[in-house]
Every structure is written in structure tokens, then in C-alpha cells.
Amino acid sequence: MTFSAGPGRAAGPGTPDGPGRTAARPPAQALARRRFLRAAGAVLSGALAAVTLGGSSGTTDTRNAAGRGAGGRGASPPAPSGGSGPSRAGGDSLTDAEVALVLQVARVGAAYPAPFPRFGERGPATGRATKARLDARLPELSAQRLGQVREGAQSLISAGLMNAPRDALLDGIGARMAGTETKAPPGLTALLALAIATVSKKFDPHSDGLAEVWLGTVRRRHRRLKR
């Protein structure tokens, strides 16, 4: 870390900011913002590299890459074993409550721990957490992934987090992450990936990378506040 050294002096660790003072460590929330923004940039860079080199998009894609073809994000996901591709007919979709929960998470995730980067889109990401944008990404989901999203949404709904204030929602998600040291529950990861893809066209709803980073940030927040 580099501290302000003042005129005429070289900056270096431990250099006082003023008489009798040294620069304070960045607060935990500022560090969380930096980590998340660095991770968002890194995940997107990896996704763009994949598009350039192999014609796919996103990272840690839960689909079989060979089944996507050269069309990248626009290609249809592979059909589940023993059936046809995903259908949105009948009950094979999100309920109104599940849609509302995904959008609620998308709005919170678009602002915490830092405003989500625009990545070439207009306006703040919170304003892009809309049903129309969510509906546009749903057809990209495989049947298995859609089921995971529903599972994640129902777990938060059953915990009473529908329409909960921001901090209560973060606490509720953090509590579900508290017992996990590595990967998050698949349902939460799928839900977050869809929420991210809703506010940013640059991200694939099957891509887990940034969703796992965000959930890890919420886990650390929960542990810090519960000390």
C-alpha cells in the first residue's frame, strides 16, 4: 500500500500523512468493492478472450461447450439427456414470485459491494434490473439451469426474504453461505448468474464466475458482522 508522503518526499510504506498520523487502512467495505470490481473486469476479460479464441462467451459455463457451437451466447443449449431443448410452456418457467425475487437480487447486486460496471450499456445497472431484460435471458437457460434458479429463488422466498430491505437480504444470503468454504449452493449461484446476466448483456446466465465472487463477498460480510 502506498501512502501520501507530502511535497518533496518519496512515498513509501509507513510514511506519515501529517504530524503524528499515518494513513488508515481502507475499511473492509472499500476492500470488498475493490475485489469485486477487479474480479468483474477479470471475469469479463476472460469471457471476451473466450469469444475471440473459441466462439463461446462467459466463464465457468455449466453447459457443454461443444453443444453451443460457434454462435456463442446465441446458440441453443444442449438438450438434456432423454428430452428436447428447454421449453417455457406450462410450469417450466419462473413464477411471478420467483421473477420478483431474481429482480430483487439483481437490484441489490447491481449496487453492492460497488456499482456494477456499465460495460458499454447506458445508465446505472440498477435501472437495468427489469422484467423485460430478465425475460430476454430466460430462453437461454437449459432446463437443468432453470431448475437451479427456481431452487435458489424458493430458498430465499421460504426464508422470508421477498421484498426484504437490502441489508436483510444480504444477511439472509450470507447466512446460507456461512457454512460453505468453497462453492456456493448451485441454486444460489444459478440465481446470481441470471441476475448478473439481466443487468449486463456481457455475461452469460450459465457463467458462474462472477456469481461465485459476489457470493463470496457476501459470505465475508456476514462473517465480519457476526464477529
Side-chain angles (χ1 to χ4, degrees):
M1 185 177 297
T2 301
F3 296 89
S4 172
R9 291 190 295 167
T15 303
D17 281 342
R21 294 187 301 162
T22 57
R25 289 179 178 271
Q29 188 170 351
L31 289 174
R33 289 193 188 103
R34 292 180 191 175
R35 288 193 193 104
F36 181 76
L37 291 174
R38 282 199 300 267
V43 169
L44 182 59
S45 295
L48 294 178
V51 170
T52 301
L53 296 174
S56 62
S57 64
T59 58
T60 320
D61 198 325
T62 56
R63 293 174 292 184
N64 184 341
R68 301 179 64 188
R73 181 185 302 137
S76 299
S81 176
S84 59
S87 169
R88 296 296 167 261
D92 190 16
S93 186
L94 299 180
T95 65
D96 289 345
E98 290 162 352
V99 166
L101 196 284
V102 173
L103 293 177
Q104 179 185 349
V105 171
R107 285 189 293 271
V108 171
Y112 179 87
F116 198 88
R118 292 188 180 184
F119 292 131
E121 297 196 64
R122 295 181 178 179
T126 51
R128 299 197 295 271
T130 66
K131 184 177 184 301
R133 287 180 65 108
L134 174 58
D135 286 345
R137 303 312 299 266
L138 283 176
E140 300 177 44
L141 296 180
S142 66
Q144 179 183 14
R145 189 68 163 184
L146 179 66
Q148 291 174 336
V149 171
R150 298 194 68 180
E151 177 185 336
Q154 286 299 327
S155 73
L156 299 183
I157 292 171
S158 64
L161 296 176
M162 175 73 79
N163 298 321
R166 189 204 77 158
D167 286 350
L169 180 63
L170 291 172
D171 289 342
I173 295 174
R176 277 150 186 75
M177 292 292 300
T180 62
E181 297 297 333
T182 53
K183 283 189 174 294
L188 285 182
T189 302
L191 188 155
L192 256 298
L194 178 58
I196 290 168
T198 297
V199 301
S200 179
K201 296 177 181 177
K202 296 291 186 180
F203 290 87
D204 191 301
H206 284 82
S207 186
D208 292 345
L210 192 56
E212 291 173 351
V213 171
W214 191 86
L215 289 168
T217 299
V218 174
R219 179 202 290 119
R220 288 189 293 273
R221 173 189 182 274
H222 180 77
R223 289 177 175 173
R224 185 176 70 250
L225 294 178
K226 297 303 178 183
R227 286 175 183 170

